[in-house]
Amino acid sequence: MDSLLQDKVRQTVRDRYRKVALQADTEKNESGGCCGSTSGCCGTANDVQHISAQLGYSDVELSVVPEGANLGLGCGNPQAIAALQPGEVVVDLGSGAGFDCFLAARRVGEMGRVIGVDMTPEMISRARNNAISGNYQNAEFRLGEIEHLPVANATVDVILSNCVINLSPDKPAVFQEALRVLKPGGRLAISDVVTTAEFPPAIQQDLGDFYSACVSGASSIQELHALLAASGFTDVSIELKEETKEVLKDWVPGAHVDDYIASATIQARKP
């Protein structure tokens, strides 16, 4: 994908999630999927809690974050595989309104730090307001692209991400940046979608609705293994989460996208 097309994809994705952030402020109880319509990556605002529970979040996790932090934008629960420890530094790629960041902040404690990175100004503003309302002094949010992280070299223990890397038009750059900012021995704990079958042309060629709905930008397990290895990661593990199929099938109503994608956990380590 050339640089002009990459920029077009980013602008399309940014515009969709800008609408989500603004809609969440004005229509908290109205239907509106995570991609700014009545469908998308995560169902409607009315059933965000139910969908998040299906994706593996506990009742406690869903109840302790500030109101409005969980917009239901994920496809799994990276906290379940992150094994976060007190004092660790965590970066969340595509942090949205801060849901996973706030959960991570509780785990790493006062001596730890969590940095959320998102390319949508409206999401950053929402997350910062949520951090203030919840008094999360060990969480901060930075505007930036995950292909160009605003984070110093070798300063991070763990990188989280939840259904965001599939949205990047330059996935090699994402993993190279992740390796750069991680400390030696640092680890990835990612939930994302992967392809399980070849897309039909209507989905494969769509760089708008299907891409922004976390579908047509997904990679296969084999492709992700190769990308991570080429970037320098070791101990790569990618496991399908078939139990999330029930959630994925509603992302684009009528498109049967669950025939082509599945949620997966992705783990790897910097040597």
Side-chain angles (χ1 to χ4, degrees):
M1 190 181 296
D2 64 39
S3 58
L4 289 177
L5 187 54
Q6 286 182 11
D7 187 62
K8 180 180 178 180
V9 169
R10 288 194 189 95
Q11 293 292 353
T12 299
V13 172
R14 183 182 288 113
D15 183 59
R16 285 296 187 92
Y17 288 93
R18 178 186 66 83
K19 292 177 181 177
V20 174
L22 295 176
Q23 181 176 345
D25 283 330
T26 59
E27 302 179 15
K28 288 184 179 179
N29 297 313
E30 299 294 329
S31 25
C34 70
C35 298
S37 65
T38 55
S39 63
C41 319
C42 38
T44 67
N46 288 332
D47 58 12
V48 162
Q49 295 289 90
H50 174 66
I51 289 172
S52 296
Q54 287 181 293
L55 294 175
Y57 289 98
S58 69
D59 290 342
V60 172
E61 288 174 317
L62 295 174
S63 66
V64 296
V65 297
E67 181 181 0
N70 180 15
L71 300 180
L73 305 185
C75 58
N77 179 6
Q79 309 286 333
I81 59 171
L84 298 179
Q85 301 298 314
E88 288 190 314
V89 177
V90 179
V91 167
D92 182 14
L93 307 183
S95 50
F99 179 43
D100 283 310
C101 287
F102 298 131
L103 293 177
R106 295 174 66 88
R107 291 180 180 271
V108 301
E110 293 181 1
M111 300 302 293
R113 188 141 198 88
V114 179
I115 302 167
V117 177
D118 202 284
M119 69 173 181
T120 307
E122 292 79 7
M123 281 294 188
I124 290 293
S125 178
R126 187 175 181 84
R128 287 173 177 168
N129 287 334
N130 287 334
I132 293 170
S133 68
N135 195 30
Y136 283 87
Q137 299 184 23
N138 61 340
E140 64 175 283
F141 296 91
R142 301 178 183 177
L143 182 65
E145 296 173 349
I146 61 175
E147 301 90 350
H148 309 280
L149 290 173
V151 181
N153 294 351
T155 55
V156 176
D157 296 293
V158 184
I159 287 181
L160 303 177
S161 188
N162 196 347
C163 211
V164 170
I165 294 175
N166 73 84
L167 293 169
S168 172
D170 189 358
K171 294 172 182 63
V174 174
F175 292 127
Q176 289 161 14
E177 278 291 271
L179 191 81
R180 176 184 67 79
V181 304
L182 281 171
K183 301 173 183 176
R187 57 200 190 274
L188 297 180
I190 295 169
S191 292
D192 216 318
V193 289
V194 297
T195 58
T196 56
E198 186 175 351
F199 290 129
I203 293 179
Q204 190 174 37
Q205 297 167 12
D206 188 299
L207 294 179
D209 290 340
F210 279 101
Y211 204 104
S212 297
C214 313
V215 176
S216 62
S219 302
S220 69
I221 289 177
Q222 293 78 12
E223 289 169 336
L224 287 171
H225 264 288
L227 285 171
L228 286 161
S231 298
F233 284 98
T234 61
D235 302 328
V236 177
S237 173
I238 304 175
E239 296 185 5
L240 291 179
K241 294 295 183 180
E242 295 290 349
E243 63 269 23
T244 64
K245 284 279 192 179
E246 195 67 21
V247 175
L248 272 59
K249 73 177 185 179
D250 294 326
W251 280 9
V252 184
H256 304 289
V257 297
D258 55 312
D259 290 340
Y260 310 104
I261 60 172
S263 179
T265 58
I266 303 165
Q267 299 180 78
R269 187 174 296 274
K270 178 176 179 176

